[in-house]
Amino acid sequence: MTATPATPGLSGSPTGAVSAPAAPGTPGTPPLRLTVDELAARAGVTVRTLRFYSTKGLLPPPELGPRRVGLYGVAHLDRLELIEELQRQGLTLAAIERYLARLPEDISSLDLAIHRALVASWMPETAEETGRARLERRAGRALSDTDIARLAAMGALERTAHPDVFRVDPGLLPLGVRVLDVPIPLETLVAARAVVLGHSRATAHELHRLFRETVWKPYRESGPAPAELERMKGLTDHIQPMIAQALVTAFQRSLREELGEDLGDRTDGPAEG
C-alpha cells in the first residue's frame, strides 16, 4: 500500500477545552454545535489537522454562527472520526477521498459510526490508554462512574489498575457515548454483549470448521506446490472482509425485521375483549 503522506498534527494532543453538549443523536436534545477547537478535542486531533482535512475537501464547511464563528455538527464529527480511522489504517488521502465519495449523500450519523467501527475492527489491538480528562474531552461530556460502567459493559473501554486511566477502543467509544443517555439498564448491556460475543464466536467457529473441512483440507491433500500453498494462505486473508460484511449485512436485516415486528406489535390497536 502506498505510504500515507505526512499530515500536520496527527500525533499532536487535542487542543481547546470542550463544553459538555448533549450526546449526539439523543432524542429530545438540541443539535450538536461545536467550535473548531471543540471538534478537534472530540475527535482527538489538532485544529491544524482538522483545517488540513477541510482544505482537502474531506470535511464539509461549517455553519456560520454568531459573529461568523464556524460551528460543526454531529455529521462533521462522525465524518472526521471515520477519516482518522482510515488514516490509521494507512490509506492515502486520495484513497480516503475515494472511500468517502462512495458513501451515500444522505448517509446517517449512525451509519457513519458503523462504518468507522467496521474499519477499526481490522486494526490489531486498537485500544489506547487514556486518562479520564482526555476521555471526557473525547466523549464531549463529564463521565460519572455509572457512565464509565456502562461504557465498560459495551466494550468501549476497560479499566486499568489506575482508577483514572482506561484502555479505550477508539472504534467503539463514539457509539458507546451515543448509548449513554438511552435508558437501557446496565444489566441489559452486559447481557447483550454476552449474547453478541457468544453468537459471534459460535459463528466464527462454524465458518472456520466449514472452510477447513470443505476447502483447506481437500486442497492440502491434493498435494499443491509450496508456492501455491502459500498463495492459498494469502487468498484466505482476502475472504475475511467479505465474510465480515456478509455477517454485518445479515445481522442488520435481521435486526430491522425483529424491531419492525416489535414496533408493529406496539402500534397495533388495543386487543378486542
Side-chain angles (χ1 to χ4, degrees):
M1 185 176 290
T2 307
T4 305
T7 51
L10 282 176
S11 61
S13 59
T15 60
V18 66
S19 58
T26 304
T29 59
L32 192 70
R33 289 293 180 266
L34 302 173
T35 66
V36 65
D37 289 326
E38 291 169 340
L39 177 64
R42 287 287 296 271
V45 302
T46 65
V47 172
R48 188 182 178 200
T49 297
L50 194 156
R51 295 193 189 281
F52 178 80
Y53 288 153
S54 296
T55 60
K56 293 296 182 181
L58 300 179
L59 286 174
E63 297 180 11
L64 291 181
R67 300 186 298 278
R68 297 186 63 80
V69 174
L71 295 177
Y72 298 83
V74 66
H76 294 93
L77 177 61
D78 291 329
R79 197 174 178 91
L80 179 56
E81 289 173 337
L82 177 57
I83 291 169
E84 277 295 287
E85 203 60 63
L86 294 169
Q87 169 80 22
R88 280 192 286 269
Q89 283 277 14
L91 271 67
T92 64
L93 290 178
I96 293 174
E97 186 175 2
R98 289 194 298 270
Y99 184 102
L100 296 176
R102 289 196 294 266
L103 298 177
E105 291 185 5
D106 60 346
I107 188 169
S108 69
S109 174
L110 178 59
D111 284 337
L112 278 172
I114 291 173
H115 267 270
R116 183 173 185 267
L118 287 173
V119 171
S121 69
W122 295 106
M123 292 291 289
E125 298 298 329
T126 58
E128 307 167 349
E129 283 207 355
T130 304
R132 190 165 192 137
R134 180 177 170 84
L135 175 61
E136 290 182 340
R137 287 199 298 269
R138 293 290 300 272
R141 56 186 289 171
L143 296 173
S144 66
D145 290 340
T146 300
D147 292 333
I148 296 295
R150 288 168 66 81
L151 289 172
M154 289 182 274
L157 59 79
E158 296 177 0
R159 299 180 185 274
T160 68
H162 194 289
D164 287 327
V165 177
F166 309 91
R167 285 181 56 81
V168 176
D169 186 321
L172 287 179
L173 181 63
L175 290 172
V177 170
R178 292 169 188 270
V179 180
L180 286 180
D181 292 325
V182 180
I184 301 176
L186 178 60
E187 299 78 16
T188 302
L189 293 174
V190 173
R193 189 183 182 203
V195 168
V196 171
L197 290 176
H199 284 281
S200 61
R201 285 168 180 161
T203 302
H205 176 77
E206 285 301 308
L207 287 173
H208 178 255
R209 181 191 61 79
L210 181 65
F211 182 83
R212 183 183 66 246
E213 294 181 359
T214 65
V215 179
W216 187 242
K217 184 179 178 181
Y219 182 78
R220 287 182 65 94
E221 291 175 348
S222 69
E228 284 299 308
L229 191 60
E230 288 302 315
R231 178 173 173 272
M232 184 64 171
K233 290 179 180 178
L235 289 175
T236 57
D237 293 336
H238 296 287
I239 297 175
Q240 294 183 38
M242 291 187 291
I243 293 176
Q245 185 61 53
L247 288 173
V248 170
T249 301
F251 177 74
Q252 286 180 319
R253 289 174 180 169
S254 299
L255 189 60
R256 288 194 191 101
E257 291 173 1
E258 292 290 332
L259 291 176
E261 291 176 3
D262 182 55
L263 291 175
D265 291 341
R266 288 178 0 193
T267 55
D268 287 344
E272 295 182 4

